[in-house]
Amino acid sequence: MSWSGKKGVDKAFAMLRTLPRVCLANIRRNPGTRTKPLRGRAQHGGDKHGAGNKGSGQRQNYMRLGYETGNNPFYLRFTYEPYYKGHHLRREYPPLSLSQLQKMIDTDRLDTSQPIDLSIICNTGLYQMNPSHKHFGIQLTDEGADLFKSKVNIEVQWASEPVIAAIERNGGVITTAYYDIHSLWAVINPEKFFKKGEAIPRRMLPPEDAVDYYTNPANRGYLADPEKISWERLVLAQKYGYQLPVLEEDPDYTMLTQRKDPRQIFLGLEPGWVVNLRDRCILKPQDEQLQEYYQS
C-alpha cells in the first residue's frame, strides 16, 4: 500500500473514533430510494374526506372509561385477587428503633429524668403517626440494641423480647399500653386537644384480640400483675446473661416507678379534667355523676 493510501486509512479510522454509534436516530435511506405509501385498513381507509380533510376517527364517540377492551369492562374481563382484603382494618404500629431513641436522648429531644410516653415522643417532631391511617402507637424495634445505653422509663404500644432486655439491662423500665382511637387524637397533640375545651376522656380497655398481649407480664403489659412482672424481669435477665439492677436501690426509683392508671391518658392529669391554657388552670368536675363516670 502506498504512503498516500495508508494516510487515507488512518484518517478514516480517526473519523470513526469521533463519530457517534449507528442507531435508528442517525441513519437515513439511500439516495434515490422511494417509500411505499401505507395501505388503508378498511374501505376508504386512505381517503381524506370530511371537513378540513379530517379522518372519521377524529370525530368518533370515544367509549366510556373502563370499556377499552370491548363490550365488557376490564374489571370483569380480568381476574382479581384480594391480596389486601382485611388489611385496612388491622391496627398498625409505626416503628421506632432503639438507635433513633438513643439519638433523641443524645440530642436533648427527650428528658430521661421524666417518664417517656407516646405524647412526649410525638412532641419531638421526629416521629409521625396518624390515627386516621389505623396507627395505634409505637412499635419499638431492636435496631441498635447493642448501642443503647440510657436508663429510661418508657411506655410504648408494642415491643419484642430483645427490646425489653435492652431497656432493663441499663436499669430502665418499659411498659406496653393500649390507647383507643379517641385517646390517640388527644395524646399525639395535647395542645390542640386542650384548646378545644373538652374534658380529658377515659382510656378504653383493649379489644378482645389484644387483651392477651397487654395482660401478659412477659410483654410488660400495663394490665399484668406487678409481682409477675418482677419475676419475668429476673427470668429475662438470666436468659440474656446480664445482671438485673435492683430498682429499690436506684436513686431514680421514684421516676422509674411512675405509671399511669389504666384509665389515664396523661401522667398527672385525671380523666374528666378540663385544662384551660388561656387562664393556666384546671377545671375539675363537681357533679357526683360525672365523678363516678370518670373514676369508674
Side-chain angles (χ1 to χ4, degrees):
M1 180 182 294
S2 62
W3 179 82
S4 60
K6 185 177 181 181
K7 187 177 180 181
V9 172
D10 294 338
K11 288 185 177 180
F13 280 121
M15 183 179 63
L16 289 176
R17 293 190 187 96
T18 59
L19 290 177
R21 284 193 170 188
V22 178
C23 61
L24 294 177
N26 54 20
I27 62 175
R28 63 182 61 182
R29 297 182 180 273
N30 295 329
T33 58
R34 299 178 59 185
T35 57
K36 186 178 180 181
L38 298 177
R39 180 174 177 270
R41 298 193 60 182
Q43 185 180 13
H44 307 293
D47 298 341
K48 293 183 179 180
H49 58 278
N53 292 333
K54 293 183 178 180
S56 60
Q58 300 188 22
R59 301 194 308 274
Q60 66 181 348
N61 294 326
Y62 293 98
M63 62 185 68
R64 292 175 291 170
L65 293 177
Y67 285 81
E68 292 88 349
T69 55
N71 295 328
N72 292 333
F74 64 90
Y75 54 83
L76 294 181
R77 291 176 59 89
F78 301 101
T79 57
Y80 169 68
E81 293 291 341
Y83 294 107
Y84 299 98
K85 184 178 181 180
H87 286 219
H88 63 287
L89 302 176
R90 297 183 180 180
R91 292 182 294 273
E92 298 183 7
Y93 301 90
L96 176 69
S97 64
L98 286 173
S99 61
Q100 293 174 331
L101 182 64
Q102 184 65 52
K103 187 176 181 180
M104 293 179 185
I105 296 172
D106 295 340
T107 55
D108 294 334
R109 297 293 187 104
L110 295 176
D111 185 11
T112 57
S113 63
Q114 300 294 331
I116 300 172
D117 60 355
L118 177 61
S119 178
I120 295 178
I121 293 177
C122 289
N123 192 36
T124 61
L126 302 178
Y127 181 82
Q128 303 293 332
M129 63 167 296
N130 191 353
S132 61
H133 294 168
K134 297 297 180 179
H135 294 172
F136 275 80
I138 300 173
Q139 177 187 359
L140 197 58
T141 61
D142 57 354
E143 181 182 355
D146 298 335
L147 304 176
F148 188 78
K149 302 298 180 183
S150 301
K151 180 174 61 175
V152 295
N153 179 6
I154 188 170
E155 179 191 82
V156 295
Q157 283 60 60
W158 199 273
S160 60
E161 186 179 85
V163 172
I164 298 174
I167 297 291
E168 296 178 350
R169 181 184 59 201
N170 297 300
V173 175
I174 184 172
T175 306
T176 56
Y178 173 79
Y179 288 91
D180 59 280
I181 192 68
H182 298 289
S183 301
L184 284 173
W185 285 112
V187 169
I188 62 176
N189 196 344
E191 182 181 3
K192 181 179 179 181
F193 174 76
F194 292 152
K195 287 182 178 179
K196 295 180 180 179
E198 299 179 359
I200 300 176
R202 295 184 304 170
R203 181 165 34 153
M204 298 290 102
L205 294 175
E208 184 178 356
D209 58 346
V211 170
D212 293 338
Y213 182 84
Y214 292 108
T215 56
N216 191 349
N219 300 326
R220 308 300 186 264
Y222 74 117
L223 299 178
D225 189 357
E227 295 183 358
K228 295 182 179 180
I229 291 178
S230 300
W231 172 255
E232 291 294 338
R233 284 169 55 90
L234 180 60
V235 171
L236 191 62
Q238 294 176 352
K239 179 178 180 179
Y240 282 83
Y242 60 86
Q243 185 67 29
L244 183 66
V246 181
L247 293 179
E248 290 76 7
E249 300 177 358
D250 196 295
D252 300 327
Y253 175 75
T254 305
M255 184 273 296
L256 294 175
T257 54
Q258 288 184 356
R259 292 185 59 182
K260 299 179 184 177
D261 186 79
R263 295 288 189 177
Q264 198 174 5
I265 297 177
F266 302 104
L267 186 63
L269 298 176
E270 298 294 334
W273 292 3
V274 178
V275 179
N276 190 341
L277 296 179
R278 181 178 179 180
D279 299 335
R280 296 182 179 274
C281 63
I282 296 178
L283 306 178
K284 301 180 182 180
Q286 302 296 329
D287 188 73
E288 295 181 356
Q289 295 183 354
L290 291 177
Q291 292 178 358
E292 183 181 0
Y293 171 77
Y294 284 109
Q295 295 177 3
S296 61

